[in-house]
Amino acid sequence: MDVETPTKKLVKLAQDKAKGTPSSSKHPKKYLYATDEEPLEVYIRIRPLNEDEQKRGDSSCIENSSDKELIISAPEKSTAYRTASGTRTKYSFTNVFPETTSQTEVYETIAQPMFNSFLSGERPNCLLLSFGNSSAGKTYSITGPDSNPGLIPRLLSNLFQSISTSLNSSRFKVLVSYYEVYNEDVFDLLRAPSIQKHAHQALQVKENTDESRFYVDGLIEKLVSSADQALDQLRDGNRNRTFAETALNHDSSRSHSIFTIKLVETIVNKSVESPSVVASKHKRTMNGK
């Protein structure tokens, strides 16, 4: 029996939001996305064909696209093409990034507005979730290479620059945590890795009823004082992730991961601390992949 786990629910939500509501149009099928009504913003980035795909003589399945819509044609060898069902499908999104879109453009469109609303206090909890099949380009967009960084490195750089120039740095501290969900178990990626992962080493997800929130019990949070220190923690965690080779990706992650950036402000003349969370791969966080 197929049990709907929390991870499967999250994936289904992302899929439903990307599709939107189907219309009555048949040629092509059309999925409408009401940007003014949806609480989630859904972006899609088209990546160019990679070297292996070019060697095989593959071609793009994207027939046409605009800044908010694209039409996908089913490959000739697919079941949809052979049965003449769903051979052309139109999807709409908050924004469509073409193949030529730079890392800077993606950041300024998606993450910069989110960061601004977070820093102003308008949105104390923010989430970035990357979703796609293996080798879709999630890692490139979220972290990117050192020479052309993705969303998380740019967010961290922006955060520490804002703390040093616009905020009183002595009143703020930044903490990061990183964990993965593998086979429905939660593992802390900032802990020293064991030879093999076992269920009894997994952390428990618990509920804080007083604050009406869920949390991972025993999750390590590392205090960082610069973007470089935070990225070092991200790299260390990536080395502890679960990977396996697939036909599409020689180094494919076999888990969902959540990298959280937490900004804590000490209130002047008070002895309490009020936490504010900025996020990522998800939740008072920032989701890596």
Side-chain angles (χ1 to χ4, degrees):
M1 183 173 67
D2 186 18
V3 179
E4 187 174 34
T5 62
T7 300
K8 291 180 180 178
K9 289 181 180 179
L10 179 63
V11 172
K12 184 176 185 300
L13 174 63
Q15 291 173 326
D16 291 343
K17 292 300 181 184
K19 288 183 177 179
T21 304
S23 70
S24 58
S25 174
K26 294 183 179 180
H27 304 289
K29 290 182 179 179
K30 186 174 182 180
Y31 292 91
L32 304 177
Y33 179 77
T35 55
D36 296 334
E37 300 175 5
E38 293 288 347
L40 297 180
E41 296 177 352
V42 181
Y43 300 84
I44 186 167
R45 186 179 190 181
I46 304 170
R47 73 156 175 78
L49 297 177
N50 60 37
E51 185 176 347
D52 289 340
E53 292 164 341
Q54 293 178 19
K55 288 180 179 178
R56 291 196 304 264
D58 293 346
S59 59
S60 175
C61 62
I62 299 171
E63 182 177 324
N64 189 28
S65 67
S66 65
D67 60 340
K68 293 186 181 299
E69 291 186 338
L70 57 79
I71 297 176
I72 296 179
S73 299
E76 293 185 5
K77 297 181 180 180
S78 67
T79 301
Y81 186 89
R82 293 195 301 269
T83 60
S85 61
T87 54
R88 298 174 68 244
T89 308
K90 177 181 287 187
Y91 297 91
S92 61
F93 301 87
T94 303
N95 195 82
V96 176
F97 296 111
E99 297 179 6
T100 56
T101 305
S102 68
Q103 296 279 66
T104 300
E105 290 176 276
V106 172
Y107 177 80
E108 291 177 348
T109 303
I110 299 176
Q112 187 66 59
M114 183 195 73
F115 176 81
N116 293 341
S117 63
F118 161 75
L119 208 60
S120 68
E122 180 183 349
R123 291 200 296 179
N125 299 297
C126 302
L127 163 68
L128 281 174
L129 168 67
S130 63
F131 180 80
N133 65 305
S134 181
S135 195
K138 301 183 295 297
T139 300
Y140 182 82
S141 294
I142 291 294
T143 56
D146 292 339
S147 59
N148 195 12
L151 294 174
I152 290 181
R154 291 171 188 266
L155 275 170
L156 287 167
S157 177
N158 203 349
L159 174 61
F160 281 99
Q161 183 178 16
S162 298
I163 290 175
S164 63
T165 59
S166 304
L167 305 175
N168 186 342
S169 58
S170 63
R171 291 174 48 192
F172 291 89
K173 63 180 180 181
V174 178
L175 301 100
V176 297
S177 61
Y178 197 16
Y179 64 93
E180 70 174 351
V181 181
Y182 176 64
N183 286 341
E184 303 307 327
D185 287 322
V186 177
F187 297 97
D188 193 337
L189 293 173
L190 298 186
R191 292 181 184 272
S194 59
I195 297 177
Q196 186 175 2
K197 293 176 179 175
H198 300 282
H200 70 268
Q201 298 172 325
L203 302 181
Q204 299 298 313
V205 178
K206 297 184 177 180
E207 181 179 8
N208 185 327
T209 55
D210 293 335
E211 300 180 9
S212 300
R213 67 180 181 87
F214 290 89
Y215 67 98
V216 179
D217 189 33
L219 183 67
I220 291 177
E221 288 186 331
K222 295 289 187 74
L223 180 66
V224 293
S225 57
S226 67
D228 286 339
Q229 286 187 6
L231 288 173
D232 284 341
Q233 296 298 326
L234 179 64
R235 296 186 189 101
D236 288 345
N238 283 336
R239 284 191 284 269
N240 295 334
R241 292 193 66 186
T242 303
F243 290 89
E245 183 175 339
T246 69
L248 295 176
N249 190 344
H250 297 296
D251 297 299
S252 176
S253 170
R254 298 292 86 204
S255 67
H256 303 280
S257 69
I258 299 90
F259 184 72
T260 305
I261 308 166
K262 180 184 292 185
L263 177 65
V264 180
E265 178 183 6
T266 301
I267 306 301
V268 178
N269 296 328
K270 293 184 180 181
S271 60
V272 298
E273 291 182 332
S274 65
S276 301
V277 183
V278 80
S280 112
K281 95 112 69 309
H282 354 258
K283 318 129 192 271
R284 53 271 136 211
T285 65
M286 173 152 295
N287 186 330
K289 292 184 268 294

